Amino acid sequence: MLIAVTREVSRSIANCELTHLSRVQIDLELARLQHLRYQQALAELGCKVVSLPEQPELPDAVFVEDVAIVLDECAVITRPGAESRRPETGPMAEKLGEYRKLVFIEAPGTLDGGDVLRVDRTLYVGLSGRSNRAAIDQLRALIAPDGYKVNAVEVSGCLHLKSAVSQAAEYTLLVNPRWVNAADFGDLECLEVDPAEAYAANSLLIGKSIIYPTSFPRTRQRLEHQGMRVMAVDVSELQKAEGAVTCCSLVFEQPGRAR
Ligand code: CIR
C-alpha cells in the first residue's frame, strides 16, 4: 500500500519563503480547497492519505517534501536550506518514525527534499541555493550501505532540482533544459517542457499516472501525446508560494519493500 503524508495549508502561508517569484496575494481558502483536491487525487490513485494538521506559525509547512526523503530502508530527515523551515523537521520526524528508521542530515549540511529525485536506486541531488555538497556527502554515506547511488547535479535558474526535472514515467523524465543538463541523467529518456511553460517540469508520478498542474496545457499535451495518464489539479495558489505538485506530499510504500 502507498502512504501519502500531507500537511494542511498554514494560515500564515502569505509569509512563505520566495526566491524566484514576487509576492502576490494568496487566497487561503482557495489554497486549502486546492490542497484538498490534490489529496483527493492522491486517494483516487490508490494512496492512503495521512493528513497532518496545520502548523500555523510555519508558513511553508504544507511543502512536506522538503523535510524528508523516505526510502524503503529509512527516512532521511533533512536540514532545510531556509532557516525558517528548520522547525518543520521535528514533527515530521515524529510521524515518520512510525514507519521507518530515522537518519538525519546535520550542520553544515543543508538539504531540501525538493532537490532529490530518486529513480530506482539512484538519487540525483541538486546543488541549488538550498542544498549543498556537505549534505550530499552525508546522504551518500548514510544510504550507500543500502545500495543507493547519490549523484550531485548542477541546477540553476530555479528553486530546486525538481523544479527543473521530475519523473513522468518509469524511465522518462520531464525536463526544463534551461535549468538542468539532461545529459546528467544517463540513459533515462527526457521529455522537454514546452518552452513557453518554464515551471512545467514538476509532475508527481503515482503508479502509472501523474498528478499534474492544470496551468501547463502545452506540456500536458506533450505528456498525453506520449501516452501518459495525466490527472490535472489546479494548484494556482500553492504555485504563488513557489510550490508545485511533488512538494505537497511524501509518498512511500507501507511497509518498505524488501530488496
Ligand atoms: C520555499 O521557498 O521553501 C517554499 N515557499 C516553496 C517550497 C516548494 N518546495 C518544493 O517544491 N519542493
Side-chain angles (χ1 to χ4, degrees), residues 15-249:
N15 302 323
C16 64
E17 294 284 341
L18 286 178
T19 308
H20 296 276
L21 298 182
S22 309
R23 203 167 293 280
V24 293
Q25 201 173 345
I26 297 176
D27 180 332
L28 177 61
E29 289 319 306
L30 184 54
R32 287 185 165 157
L33 184 63
Q34 291 176 346
H35 187 251
L36 180 70
R37 300 244 164 88
Y38 168 84
Q39 293 175 101
Q40 286 167 345
L42 285 166
E44 264 178 60
L45 294 177
C47 297
K48 177 181 173 208
V49 178
V50 175
S51 174
L52 304 178
E54 171 198 11
Q55 287 183 303
E57 314 296 323
L58 299 177
D60 285 305
V62 62
F63 302 124
V64 290
E65 169 181 67
D66 292 319
V67 296
I69 297 138
V70 185
L71 304 173
D72 287 339
E73 299 79 1
C74 64
V76 182
I77 305 300
T78 67
R79 182 168 179 270
E83 215 174 323
S84 69
R85 300 203 54 191
R86 294 196 187 137
E88 295 173 30
T89 56
M92 184 57 80
E94 213 169 288
K95 176 45 76 179
L96 293 178
E98 295 173 18
Y99 301 96
R100 295 289 192 276
K101 174 184 91 173
L102 302 178
V103 295
F104 296 85
I105 297 297
E106 284 162 11
T110 63
L111 180 69
D112 280 11
D115 276 315
V116 181
L117 171 66
R118 183 175 71 82
V119 182
D120 292 335
R121 297 188 87 79
T122 301
L123 274 67
Y124 299 95
V125 186
L127 280 163
S128 70
R130 296 286 176 87
S131 301
N132 64 19
R133 282 200 189 273
I136 294 177
D137 291 344
Q138 287 178 35
L139 181 65
R140 185 177 293 116
L142 286 167
I143 65 176
D146 289 315
Y148 289 96
K149 276 208 309 193
V150 174
N151 293 351
V153 176
E154 297 289 343
V155 53
S156 64
C158 58
L159 182 61
H160 287 130
L161 178 68
K162 276 190 282 189
S163 321
V165 53
S166 65
Q167 195 174 14
E170 196 175 3
Y171 296 110
T172 306
L173 302 179
L174 181 60
V175 177
N176 178 338
R178 279 168 291 172
W179 291 343
V180 80
N181 183 357
D184 287 340
F185 303 97
D187 291 342
L188 293 168
E189 212 169 293
C190 287
L191 178 66
E192 293 189 6
V193 299
D194 185 283
E197 296 176 337
Y199 287 87
N202 187 269
S203 61
L204 176 57
L205 179 66
I206 306 282
K208 291 192 185 314
S209 302
I210 56 178
I211 296 181
Y212 193 70
T214 51
S215 50
F216 307 118
R218 291 164 177 244
T219 304
R220 178 179 169 182
Q221 243 183 3
R222 292 187 178 195
L223 290 162
E224 286 175 339
H225 191 72
Q226 298 287 315
M228 290 161 191
R229 255 181 294 173
V230 178
M231 186 176 272
V233 292
D234 187 353
V235 287
S236 65
E237 300 312 293
L238 299 165
Q239 286 169 325
K240 292 176 185 173
E242 228 167 330
V245 288
T246 62
C247 60
C248 295
S249 55

